[in-house]
Amino acid sequence: MHGVFLNITRNSDGDYQAMTNDRMFEYQRLAQEVYHAGLSARLARLGYALEPGMYGEPQLKGITREQIEYFSGRAAQIEDFLQKKWGINRKTATPEQKQAAWEMTRKAKKARDLDGLQARWREEAREIGLNEVFPGKKVNDLSPEKRLDIARDSLKFAIEHHTERESAVKEGELIRTALQDGRGKITIGDIYKVMKEVTSSGELIRQVDDLAGSRQNLVTSREALEREKRILSFEKSGRNKVEPVMNPLQAENTLNAIQEREGLTLNAEQRAAARMILTTDNRYSGINGYAGTGKTTMLKPAIESLQNGAAFSALTNAGYRVIGLGPQHSAVHALKDAGIIESRTLQSWLADRRAGKDLTGKTVVVIDEAGLTSARDLESAMKRIEKAGARAILVGDSKQYESVAAGPAFAMLQKAGMETVYVTEMQRQRNAPEHIREAARLSIDSPEKALEKLSIREIRDPQERFKALSEEYLKSQDPKETLVLTGTHEARKSVNENVREALNLKGKGREFIRFETGDFTEAQKKRINSYEPGQEILFGKAYRLMGVKVGEVGKVASVDKEDGTVRLKMEDGRNVTMTPRKLSGKDHEIGQRETIELSLGDRIRITGNSLRLDGVTNGMRGEVVDVSGSRIMIRFDSGLEYGILVGKTPLEIDHGYAQTGHSAQGLGAQTVILDLPSNSQTLNRRSFYTNLTRTKNQVKAFTDDREKLAGAVKREKDKTMAHDVEKAQAVERKPWEKARKIEPELEI
């Protein structure tokens, strides 16, 4: 069925105009879910059992994807066209390629005999073993009160799910998630009623229409907005509240002495940053340094000055305790390189209740990679610092990757006026060719111009491009100084396999078990709808009542959505019943075990922190030197040699020839090989700048479409703030999006 609507409106002057429909397009995903929700509710009332399809659409339970595809002649035609035209399939095709295939294979519809079609369909169904689906017992309509209870629960889940990673959420996406969660039981009307409840109570705050403009209205939780207000209040109330460690003259003399003794040379920006650490009277201050500007080099003399004053008798305030915190272990390693021996991850510090009690007025907390720190974690740290009268230095780059969790707090504090020194002179590429140095500089604010400085190979077929990335890696003289950065896990795995095959490592080693974690929020992991037979659950902590230990894996055998339980079959054959709603969602992962072959000489990367007490942490890279015994011996690039014990627990290890860009933040290498697929949402202004500036010397880049690449690297991908709800969205309207006068050919 098709509906045709004419976009013609007669205004008060009698003229005909077309209304802009950009706001309507903003809500098209929600509109589709409204249809799905209504369809599901009607089918459920008729007694049909439903389950989510491949793309989340409602499907009759018991019908496989293969059976659906068998009856989809159009799908087969499109698939065939894509294969013949470009050698790709629907999963790897761009939206434009899919549209072209759809248009080129479309034929005029013909009138057909319905009875004849039904007879043919039944015959074909029998041939493929598809039994006719009959409805079960008809279900009585839920009462309005029961529907509202379900809608409240679904909306609560939607809020928790979205605000875990974004402080402000598009209204349509929030409602869409709630409708999906209650599909078959609730309607859009039910959700609107509970939306009104939570906005009236102030639990949810909705952006007013005038501020939203042509975009979707943003919504945020009262909790997220209050958290941001507390963070800003902590910073503002800490201005001019602490005694400077040194006066300007003392700071200058101390820094000069340390530079001379250590053979360091700080540039003007680095000196200004180090000087601010020593002379500020603000409890909170920041250093925003672009990628590769030598933030670690700058920190060294400042940290030494704080800790012991470089033995200058005039420095009466020397002797500060310095604690280093970072959201990732790579940041912790950088802090230790800067001389902060007492460094650990921010998360472990916050989990340690005693750590906060050890802070005093003579403690300086240095938080590195502050741009990767979530608002929740930063607020918790600030509470401790505030209570003890300590002080904090936030170091990071607000233009690189942001925290996976919600809240770009570091950028927010800078916008609010936190004392900040900006370090912009890049050092990492100082020995690189001029065009690479220029590309790195341009990638900050003009990424499309940075592309002009690079040599980029266009290879449209994804598998051929992955193969080319692998061949480029194999040309490298030093694997330790080569990074292959991809935007997707598919590309990462393909490059790793291609390199291993070329090095003749495939089939020459031993197979081990690792765990590939799915992308689920904590809110989703508490929801029964997230579980289905065949999935596997990895436990990150022991649950005494369930009888599971840390590191155990259980396979989902069945899911009872009525009582909300999941039955797991553990490796030793015992059955365990898990009730997701009773768990926090923090200490178990949904995913799949997979085998990984490791051979002598394989490059590897550590993917977890279970061995952190032994100095082996997430992101460390190295080479396999022995796989013959009960341990996998690894020689890490840091020089550490370590044997990973092989047991029943999945290994936190992966091949290390290629990795995603996000996992490489903080790293540097002589040669960086970039995969830049123009149609991937992981490619944007932030990822391009961060990945490109990992290089010290050379960049080799590959893309599927050189023409579209400029637009891809300009895409904005910024985390939202709760305060965004109170701001107007500035949207540049294109000429064809503006209301335009129409001269009708016919009177209507």
Side-chain angles (χ1 to χ4, degrees):
M1 179 183 292
H2 298 277
V4 179
F5 297 87
L6 299 179
N7 185 9
I8 300 175
T9 304
R10 193 171 190 173
N11 63 24
S12 57
D13 297 329
D15 293 329
Y16 290 94
Q17 287 185 318
M19 294 186 298
T20 56
N21 57 7
D22 42 354
R23 188 165 166 82
M24 186 186 301
F25 275 107
E26 282 280 322
Y27 284 89
Q28 61 182 324
R29 277 162 55 91
L30 172 59
Q32 183 183 48
E33 185 53 42
V34 171
Y35 163 69
H36 284 160
L39 176 64
S40 300
R42 293 181 66 182
L43 289 171
R45 285 198 296 271
L46 291 171
Y48 286 99
L50 303 174
E51 61 185 0
M54 183 177 180
Y55 303 104
E57 76 284 4
Q59 293 286 358
L60 295 178
K61 191 171 184 179
I63 298 180
T64 67
R65 190 71 205 173
E66 290 73 19
Q67 291 168 338
I68 293 172
E69 296 289 354
Y70 179 85
F71 283 97
S72 179
R74 290 284 290 120
Q77 291 170 358
I78 291 172
E79 194 79 38
D80 185 61
F81 181 89
L82 289 169
Q83 180 61 41
K84 289 180 178 178
K85 179 73 174 176
W86 292 295
I88 57 178
N89 55 40
R90 280 189 292 172
K91 287 187 177 180
T92 57
T94 66
E96 292 80 7
Q97 288 169 331
K98 291 177 185 177
Q99 179 68 21
W102 182 83
E103 291 176 353
M104 295 300 293
T105 56
R106 186 182 185 190
K107 296 179 181 179
K109 294 190 176 181
K110 300 177 182 179
R112 296 183 183 272
D113 173 37
L114 183 57
D115 291 336
L117 276 176
Q118 289 179 336
R120 194 187 83 194
W121 290 338
R122 287 194 180 98
E123 180 62 30
E124 290 177 344
R126 281 193 293 270
E127 289 177 4
I128 63 172
L130 175 59
N131 297 318
E132 188 168 350
V133 178
F134 294 98
K137 185 179 178 181
K138 288 188 177 182
V139 179
N140 293 328
D141 288 347
L142 297 172
S143 67
E145 293 77 16
K146 180 63 175 176
R147 291 206 319 269
L148 286 178
D149 284 341
I150 296 172
R152 291 185 186 101
D153 184 57
S154 292
L155 183 61
K156 180 183 178 183
F157 158 70
I159 293 171
E160 290 178 355
H161 167 62
H162 283 287
T163 58
E164 188 174 317
R165 295 183 179 177
E166 289 287 354
S167 295
V169 186
K170 291 181 178 180
E171 177 187 48
E173 292 304 302
L174 185 74
I175 296 173
R176 177 174 175 266
T177 299
L179 274 175
Q180 281 182 327
D181 185 73
R183 186 184 281 173
K185 299 175 182 178
I186 59 176
T187 66
I188 184 67
D190 299 322
I191 291 294
Y192 277 142
K193 286 178 182 178
V194 296
M195 280 284 290
K196 188 174 182 179
E197 290 177 358
V198 294
T199 52
S200 297
S201 68
E203 180 183 347
L204 200 67
I205 302 163
R206 180 180 185 270
Q207 186 179 42
V208 298
D209 293 342
D210 287 346
L211 293 180
S214 62
R215 298 290 182 90
Q216 284 194 40
N217 299 68
L218 294 176
V219 293
T220 190
S221 66
R222 177 170 54 197
E223 179 186 5
L225 186 60
E226 291 302 319
R227 179 181 296 115
E228 288 184 4
K229 288 180 177 179
R230 288 192 295 270
I231 290 173
L232 294 173
S233 177
F234 280 142
E235 187 279 320
K236 191 171 184 179
S237 64
R239 296 178 187 178
N240 313 121
K241 290 295 176 65
V242 297
E243 286 293 322
V245 176
M246 304 177 184
N247 64 43
L249 182 59
Q250 289 173 329
E252 195 67 30
N253 289 337
T254 303
L255 292 173
N256 285 338
I258 293 175
Q259 285 184 89
E260 184 176 346
R261 190 187 68 210
E262 300 294 332
L264 294 174
T265 302
L266 301 184
N267 62 35
E269 291 176 332
Q270 290 172 324
R271 288 179 67 88
R275 191 163 51 244
M276 180 201 68
I277 293 173
L278 302 174
T279 61
T280 184
D281 61 356
N282 295 319
R283 191 178 308 282
Y284 304 98
S285 54
I287 298 170
N288 193 101
Y290 290 157
T293 53
K295 293 185 285 291
T296 301
T297 301
M298 170 276 300
L299 280 173
K300 283 183 179 179
I303 298 307
E304 183 174 344
S305 300
L306 287 170
Q307 290 174 330
N308 54 43
F312 276 80
S313 58
L315 305 181
T316 57
N317 287 330
Y320 277 75
R321 177 186 176 211
V322 183
I323 297 174
L325 303 174
Q328 296 178 333
H329 279 280
S330 59
V332 174
H333 294 315
L335 288 166
K336 289 182 177 180
D337 289 343
I340 308 178
I341 304 302
E342 195 177 345
S343 296
R344 61 197 294 190
T345 63
L346 175 59
Q347 293 80 1
S348 68
W349 185 74
L350 291 174
D352 184 352
R353 295 181 179 180
R354 295 173 300 177
K357 297 177 182 179
D358 294 338
L359 300 181
T360 70
K362 293 201 72 174
T363 303
V364 179
V365 179
V366 180
I367 301 178
D368 195 17
E369 295 290 6
L372 288 173
T373 303
S374 70
R376 186 185 297 274
D377 285 348
L378 184 59
E379 184 202 7
S380 298
M382 293 175 92
K383 283 180 179 178
R384 288 185 173 185
I385 292 164
E386 194 82 9
K387 185 177 181 180
R391 63 188 75 190
I393 309 295
L394 277 61
V395 184
D397 183 356
S398 59
K399 290 184 179 291
Q400 291 190 53
Y401 285 113
E402 297 175 295
S403 167
V404 173
F410 184 50
M412 179 182 71
L413 285 169
Q414 292 179 61
K415 292 176 183 176
M418 177 179 70
E419 179 185 21
T420 305
V421 173
Y422 293 87
V423 184
T424 62
E425 187 178 330
M426 292 182 169
Q427 304 293 316
R428 186 175 289 149
Q429 296 84 28
R430 61 183 178 275
N431 295 322
E434 174 58 31
H435 70 280
I436 298 295
R437 296 200 301 271
E438 188 64 17
R441 287 192 293 268
L442 288 170
S443 69
I444 301 167
D445 294 312
S446 303
E448 72 283 5
K449 294 182 180 177
L451 293 175
E452 299 172 4
K453 305 295 180 179
L454 301 175
S455 175
I456 303 173
R457 283 183 60 189
E458 179 182 274
I459 304 175
R460 291 186 176 272
D461 180 78
Q463 294 305 319
E464 288 299 317
R465 191 171 70 255
F466 301 156
K467 186 177 180 181
L469 287 162
S470 309
E471 291 170 350
E472 196 64 53
Y473 173 85
L474 292 167
K475 296 176 184 177
S476 170
Q477 298 298 313
D478 186 358
K480 294 180 183 179
E481 283 293 335
T482 305
L483 283 174
V484 181
L485 302 181
T486 68
T488 66
H489 291 294
E490 178 195 6
R492 169 181 61 82
K493 289 182 177 181
S494 183
V495 172
N496 282 334
E497 285 302 308
N498 287 338
V499 171
R500 296 191 72 248
E501 193 165 352
L503 292 174
N504 200 28
L505 296 175
K506 197 170 182 179
K508 301 295 180 65
R510 286 175 59 191
E511 287 191 339
F512 303 92
I513 299 296
R514 66 184 300 274
F515 194 85
E516 186 72 17
T517 301
D519 184 21
F520 294 87
T521 63
E522 291 174 9
Q524 286 176 310
K525 286 186 280 184
K526 294 189 290 182
R527 215 67 180 169
I528 192 67
N529 289 340
S530 299
Y531 297 85
E532 57 187 50
Q535 291 174 330
E536 293 184 301
I537 311 300
L538 172 64
F539 290 95
K541 65 172 281 188
Y543 287 93
R544 184 175 56 84
L545 294 179
M546 276 194 288
V548 297
K549 300 176 182 178
V550 176
E552 278 200 288
V553 176
K555 190 167 188 175
V556 178
S558 63
V559 180
D560 190 331
K561 295 192 176 182
E562 291 301 317
D563 67 2
T565 59
V566 177
R567 186 170 66 85
L568 302 175
K569 177 69 74 173
M570 307 305 289
E571 290 177 279
D572 60 3
R574 74 186 193 277
N575 292 316
V576 168
T577 299
M578 180 176 77
T579 307
R581 67 175 180 273
K582 294 182 179 179
L583 304 180
S584 68
K586 299 176 184 290
D587 299 307
H588 73 280
E589 298 293 345
I590 305 172
Q592 209 74 46
R593 279 177 294 190
E594 61 181 30
T595 59
I596 179 172
E597 184 194 31
L598 296 177
S599 304
L600 185 67
D602 254 325
R603 291 286 297 170
I604 61 92
R605 181 173 60 89
I606 299 298
T607 59
N609 291 307
S610 62
L611 300 173
R612 62 187 178 280
L613 296 180
D614 295 332
V616 178
T617 57
N618 189 14
M620 289 179 65
R621 304 197 306 158
E623 182 179 321
V624 176
V625 294
D626 187 16
V627 293
S628 61
S630 61
R631 291 178 180 268
I632 305 170
M633 297 304 300
I634 309 292
R635 182 183 298 116
F636 289 100
D637 294 348
S638 63
L640 171 70
E641 285 203 17
Y642 185 85
I644 300 176
L645 184 65
V646 179
K648 292 183 178 180
T649 302
L651 300 177
E652 294 178 335
I653 198 168
D654 195 8
H655 295 125
Y657 305 102
Q659 62 189 96
T660 59
H662 205 285
S663 66
Q665 183 156 336
L667 299 180
Q670 287 293 326
T671 301
V672 170
I673 303 167
L674 299 177
D675 183 32
L676 304 172
S678 63
N679 64 327
S680 172
Q681 290 304 306
T682 60
L683 179 58
N684 52 62
R685 183 187 293 268
R686 285 184 181 278
S687 65
F688 178 65
Y689 157 61
T690 308
N691 295 352
L692 172 62
T693 53
R694 298 308 93 204
T695 188
K696 299 176 185 176
N697 194 285
Q698 293 293 333
V699 174
K700 310 292 183 180
F702 298 80
T703 187
D704 62 324
D705 193 320
R706 186 66 176 81
E707 186 177 344
K708 293 179 180 177
L709 187 57
V713 298
K714 289 194 295 182
R715 278 196 291 253
E716 299 291 348
K717 189 66 174 178
D718 296 339
K719 285 280 185 179
T720 56
M721 296 185 295
H723 278 77
D724 290 339
V725 173
E726 300 174 346
K727 299 176 183 176
Q729 296 196 37
V731 182
E732 182 181 349
R733 301 277 290 280
K734 296 179 175 61
W736 56 84
E737 293 178 325
K738 299 176 182 178
R740 55 193 184 277
K741 186 174 179 179
I742 293 179
E743 299 296 340
E745 297 179 2
L746 298 173
E747 286 293 330
I748 297 176

